[in-house]
Amino acid sequence: METTIYYFTGTGNSLKIAKDLCENITNCRLIRICKRNMNINEVTSERIGFVFPVYYRGLPKMVANFIKNLDVNLGKYFFAVANFGSYAALTFEQIDILLRSKGKSLSANFSVEMPGNMWFMYYPHPKEDFINRMNNQSRITINIARMINNNYENNIPVIKNRYKEEKMYEDFNPNNIDENFWVSEKCIGCGICSNVCPAENIEIIEAKPSWEHRCEQCLACIHLCPQTAIEFKKDSINKERYKNIFVKTKDLF
Ligand SMILES: Cc1cc2nc3c(=O)[nH]c(=O)nc-3n(C[C@H](O)[C@H](O)[C@H](O)COP(=O)(O)O)c2cc1C
């Protein structure tokens, strides 16, 4: 059985998980969910996976739109692997609803705890947890791959505090959030922010980034700037940046 994994990533956690899965699933290929690939709308594999970070308790908007557009007629087994700072919240149910509207359903869901990358707005857990989560991720992912190879099925977990979680996701409107990004004099106009943006939302104008209000809020630009020149309001000043240590910046281009 051929497997295709569609993944969305900002700072590399989802890419690392998707790569580990693919290496341990027989006959597997990886496709990034990003602006350039939004017109891939036909599934050719029988086994289909989605790997993504949780945003505001739900799916990144680009992931939801990608699945909405996908023709899944040939798919027989669908799995979702969420990664997050706290939990998968609404994401599995959201994917299941999208698949059901096409006559399919989510066969299996899996969760991987990762370092939260929104820490300049809130700091979700102690730093030692970052290290533990990094160290545990491969082992957990290889175990998930084994279950996928066996077409393991499970039920979607019950969502606690549904009202609160749905309210939070309703407030997630990322497109114009980029009005809060600004660039300091440390910027050398290298263009890495533009290259890593999955939404192709950053143009380099007169050697400085300019955000075009199609932001997905993945935070790749701010975290991956090698000069730490990009800031979010005043919240990020003098705060450490985050990138998955097992992923190279150019793997995110
Ligand atoms: C805009 C945004 C919203 C987030 N919201 C949540 C959330 O609601 N719950 C959670 O557990 N983690 C949340 N996170 C943390 C990410 O899901 C987590 O760090 C993930 O591993 C990042 O994956 P990536 O490196 O592939 O981008 C959020 C991160 C961002 C950037």
Side-chain angles (χ1 to χ4, degrees):
M1 198 186 233
E2 191 191 82
T3 302
T4 303
I5 296 179
Y6 299 98
Y7 72 94
F8 177 86
T9 193
T11 55
N13 289 345
S14 310
L15 172 60
K16 174 65 169 54
I17 292 166
K19 277 186 167 174
D20 282 350
L21 284 175
C22 223
E23 276 168 22
N24 290 282
I25 292 174
T26 41
N27 198 8
C28 181
R29 64 181 184 145
L30 274 184
I31 295 182
R32 187 174 186 181
I33 299 176
C34 58
K35 175 136 188 285
R36 191 172 321 163
N37 288 338
M38 288 307 276
N39 57 357
I40 292 178
N41 56 12
E42 198 179 345
V43 154
T44 52
S45 303
E46 290 184 339
R47 193 154 55 196
I48 310 300
F50 304 102
V51 178
F52 52 85
V54 176
Y55 284 179
Y56 287 80
R57 303 297 193 259
L59 289 175
K61 300 285 170 169
M62 195 174 250
V63 174
N65 287 331
F66 184 86
I67 300 174
K68 234 178 254 168
N69 291 337
L70 203 61
D71 174 348
V72 296
N73 273 335
L74 292 179
K76 292 208 166 90
Y77 175 88
F78 293 88
F79 64 92
V81 183
N83 72 97
F84 42 74
S86 56
Y87 88 118
L90 304 167
T91 54
F92 301 137
E93 201 177 275
Q94 289 173 332
I95 293 181
D96 191 51
I97 289 169
L98 289 169
L99 292 175
R100 280 180 191 276
S101 72
K102 301 162 191 277
K104 306 283 179 178
S105 62
L106 190 62
S107 318
N109 63 81
F110 305 96
S111 291
V112 186
E113 282 187 329
M114 292 300 277
N117 62 359
M118 244 223 336
W119 41 254
F120 55 81
M121 296 171 205
Y122 67 94
Y123 200 80
H125 40 72
K127 194 136 196 185
E128 311 84 75
D129 280 3
F130 273 43
I131 319 279
N132 290 337
R133 286 173 181 213
M134 280 297 192
N135 290 339
N136 292 336
Q137 173 267 314
S138 266
R139 185 180 43 77
I140 292 168
T141 309
I142 290 167
N143 200 31
I144 293 172
R146 192 180 48 75
M147 290 193 263
I148 292 168
N149 278 323
N150 291 321
N151 291 341
Y152 165 88
E153 297 198 14
N154 62 3
N155 292 324
I156 294 170
V158 175
I159 297 159
K160 292 173 238 149
N161 302 322
R162 172 183 293 280
Y163 174 77
K164 200 175 119 233
E165 307 301 44
E166 283 176 349
K167 179 80 193 67
M168 190 154 170
Y169 193 66
E170 263 171 41
D171 292 341
F172 175 41
N173 295 304
N175 286 178
N176 293 317
I177 199 99
D178 58 9
E179 286 165 3
N180 299 295
F181 289 125
W182 54 278
V183 68
S184 73
E185 75 293 341
K186 290 192 274 181
C187 176
I188 54 167
C190 67
I192 286 178
C193 52
S194 172
N195 284 323
V196 295
C197 177
E200 294 176 24
N201 182 40
I202 302 175
E203 273 185 45
I204 304 297
I205 299 172
E206 292 174 11
K208 295 277 177 271
S210 165
W211 286 265
E212 306 290 313
H213 314 312
R214 296 187 300 265
C215 187
E216 292 289 324
Q217 212 182 326
C218 73
L219 306 182
C221 56
I222 183 166
H223 282 300
L224 298 171
C225 169
Q227 305 298 319
T228 332
I230 299 174
E231 304 285 1
F232 184 88
K233 300 187 203 166
K234 288 186 179 164
D235 301 351
S236 58
I237 296 173
N238 295 329
K239 300 228 170 102
E240 248 182 89
R241 303 304 198 246
Y242 176 79
K243 176 177 77 60
N244 187 294
I245 50 170
F246 300 107
V247 165
K248 295 192 185 83
T249 301
K250 70 171 168 31
D251 295 338
L252 297 163
F253 280 15

